């Protein structure tokens, strides 16, 4: 490979990396097909909030029971 060709390859690679960095920084990269899009969240209804609270309390209770069982061993 001649020196002139090596310089062209080097400059081309550097330019490609710079342009890719600019695109990524600006956010011009398209989302991956098949991935869900993000939508703004709507406020939870009263029933959904109550179910969420119950689920959290149940998770905490199970974690406490597991910790108690581990402590008894």
């Amino acid at each position: 490979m001649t020196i002139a060709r090596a310089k062209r390859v080097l400059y081309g690679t550097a330019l490609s990396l710079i342009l890719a960095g600019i695109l990524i920084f600006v956010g011009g990269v398209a989302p991956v097909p098949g991935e869900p899009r993000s939508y703004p969240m709507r406020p939870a209804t009263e029933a959904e909030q109550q179910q969420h609270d119950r689920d959290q309390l149940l998770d905490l209770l199970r974690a406490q029971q597991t910790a108690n069982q581990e402590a008894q061993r």
Side-chain angles (χ1 to χ4, degrees):
M1 182 183 301
T2 65
I3 293 177
R5 170 106 172 108
K7 283 183 180 180
R8 279 196 310 256
V9 170
L10 181 64
Y11 292 147
T13 303
L15 182 61
S16 297
L17 289 174
I18 290 169
L19 289 176
I22 291 171
L23 283 176
I24 291 171
F25 179 76
V26 171
V29 178
V32 177
E35 287 188 4
R37 295 181 179 183
S38 61
Y39 297 97
M41 295 204 37
R42 64 170 175 77
T45 64
E46 185 66 30
E48 290 172 335
Q49 185 62 44
Q50 289 175 356
Q51 182 64 44
H52 176 71
D53 293 343
R54 281 192 295 269
D55 291 343
Q56 279 189 324
L57 289 172
L58 185 58
D59 288 343
L60 288 171
L61 178 62
R62 287 182 181 149
Q64 185 63 45
Q65 288 174 342
T66 302
N68 290 343
Q69 289 173 356
E70 293 294 324
Q72 290 176 357
R73 290 183 186 175

